[in-house]
Amino acid sequence: MNNRRVIVKIPASTANLGPGFDTLGMALSLYAWIELSVSDKTEFRYYGDQMNGLPGDKSNLIYKVAQLVFDEAGVTVPELSVSMYSDIPLARGLGSSASAIVGALVAANSLIGNPLSENKLFQMATRLEGHPDNVGASLFGGIVVSAWDGEQADYVRIIPHEKLEALVAIPAFQLETEKARHALPSQISMADAVFNVGRSSLLVAALACGELGIIRHAMKDRLHQSYRAALIPGMATILERAEEHGALGAALSGAGPTLIAFVEAGSPDKADLERFLLDTLQREGIEAETLWLLPCVHGPQVTVEDKETQPAVPLMDRIKGDIKV
Ligand code: HSE
């Protein structure tokens, strides 16, 4: 283990997909990278502006999550060298914290020879994140349907339809998940619960069977999106009208503020849909960036190197052909 260097590439994720609150997640083709090795002295190297301000000591999330893996496996690795770069914007509803947790779990486990099973990592990730949807998608890739009772998380993975594409509109402002969860009521009506059970079940069946035409009837929600609308100006209009602009369906991505719309590959409406999302947000005074993404069908990609025979390459040199900017 002392000679190992581990590099992990972890996908972003979108949670809920509309009705599947805390249950549905999809991995997306936007990534973070974590490099981990044993060191004489703990050190952190963060690349990219958005990492500014993250703790550079042992209170760091990556370090703490790695230590949980070592404790669970009964090994002691007090000093680590950590490098990280992420294309996943922070606090925008694209699973940046889930990707950091999953990346740290997978990298630390790999560093010590993978004693913990993938399912064990999923249980740990769900507990750390507080819900299984983002971490499940980042860990397993594809579409992940999961349920957690506070003790045990169960999941089934669905391979996304090969023609599914996603457009995300990422507002420039951040929205902490905790704030977006505080906007939710503590109770809902039986009618709304039945509405969401129906839509979420329909959506899972449509995604599993590749019935893309059903998505527009299924991506409807009464559990969380309307309560969060005040936090994301323009959201209500986008969710109501995205289908008129060629979307198969649209949703708030996770707790927001990012909005996600799905289209079928080759749709002639892609440019119109993108314009509609940007114009709607702009009319509300919200600056946003759009990205066309694909469902990511795999979980973290791990590279393990021998430090003695394979020279160290700075993380940014290693991934430069792969990053977004
Ligand atoms: N399911 C969670 C929520 C996702 O909507 O609050 C947060 O990332």
Side-chain angles (χ1 to χ4, degrees):
M1 122 180 123
N2 286 347
N3 285 342
R4 277 200 189 128
R5 180 191 303 123
V6 177
I7 304 101
V8 182
K9 175 181 177 183
I10 319 105
S13 58
T14 183
N16 304 329
L17 301 178
F21 180 71
D22 278 2
T23 293
L24 301 185
M26 180 192 286
L28 295 171
S29 60
L30 187 68
Y31 300 94
W33 288 261
I34 293 176
E35 181 177 318
L36 203 62
S37 58
V38 180
S39 172
D40 295 336
K41 184 172 166 291
T42 291
E43 53 186 8
F44 296 87
R45 281 186 207 89
Y46 288 119
Y47 300 95
D49 293 345
Q50 67 164 343
M51 299 291 167
N52 290 345
L54 292 184
D57 59 22
K58 290 181 177 176
S59 68
N60 181 280
L61 178 71
I62 309 282
Y63 180 86
K64 288 202 293 192
V65 172
Q67 292 303 326
L68 292 178
V69 172
F70 304 144
D71 288 350
E72 191 69 38
V75 299
T76 308
V77 192
E79 307 297 335
L80 290 171
S81 170
V82 182
S83 299
M84 182 169 182
Y85 172 80
S86 182
D87 269 341
I88 310 170
L90 299 185
R92 308 295 165 79
L94 288 167
S96 60
S97 75
S99 69
I101 289 170
V102 166
L105 290 169
V106 169
N109 195 35
S110 190
L111 195 63
I112 56 172
N114 290 318
L116 306 187
S117 68
E118 218 179 28
N119 186 47
K120 178 71 195 171
L121 299 184
F122 179 46
Q123 304 303 324
M124 293 171 77
T126 299
R127 186 165 293 282
L128 286 162
E129 181 79 344
H131 39 88
D133 41 1
N134 291 103
V135 292
S138 271
L139 182 60
F140 300 118
I143 297 163
V144 175
V145 184
S146 53
W148 188 50
D149 62 6
E151 292 293 328
Q152 164 77 19
D154 297 299
Y155 74 96
V156 172
R157 182 173 171 272
I158 298 174
I159 298 171
H161 191 285
E162 60 196 12
K163 288 201 157 169
L164 210 50
E165 288 186 14
L167 171 64
V168 289
I170 309 170
F173 70 91
Q174 297 192 339
L175 176 56
E176 294 301 332
T177 299
E178 206 187 323
K179 184 173 175 194
R181 289 179 87 85
H182 268 125
L184 306 181
S186 55
Q187 297 200 323
I188 53 141
S189 69
M190 179 60 109
D192 286 353
V194 170
F195 181 94
N196 266 62
V197 170
R199 293 320 192 267
S200 184
S201 304
L202 200 57
L203 183 57
V204 169
L207 292 169
C209 301
E211 301 239 11
L212 299 186
I214 292 289
I215 291 179
R216 71 183 64 243
H217 305 294
M219 277 183 80
K220 309 283 176 208
D221 159 73
R222 286 193 193 160
L223 283 193
H224 68 109
Q225 292 182 158
S226 61
Y227 301 105
R228 290 170 160 171
L231 300 171
I232 305 118
M235 181 190 97
T237 307
I238 288 172
L239 297 191
E240 207 178 293
R241 299 197 34 218
E243 289 153 28
E244 293 165 28
H245 295 269
L248 293 168
L252 182 64
S253 182
T258 292
L259 293 148
I260 186 160
F262 292 100
V263 300
E264 188 164 352
S267 161
D269 299 321
K270 285 170 72 170
D272 174 42
L273 180 65
E274 189 168 356
R275 196 66 267 147
F276 166 66
L277 262 60
L278 284 171
D279 286 350
T280 306
L281 291 168
Q282 200 179 34
R283 268 200 301 279
E284 299 287 344
I286 308 288
E287 257 183 72
E289 176 196 10
T290 45
L291 289 177
W292 283 98
L293 301 173
L294 295 172
C296 173
V297 290
H298 48 71
Q301 292 170 283
V302 183
T303 308
V304 181
E305 292 180 349
D306 182 339
K307 284 202 276 187
E308 302 221 319
T309 57
Q310 291 168 284
V313 176
L315 182 63
M316 293 313 280
D317 289 345
R318 194 186 279 283
I319 67 176
K320 65 181 172 227
D322 220 2
I323 62 178
K324 191 162 62 67
V325 280

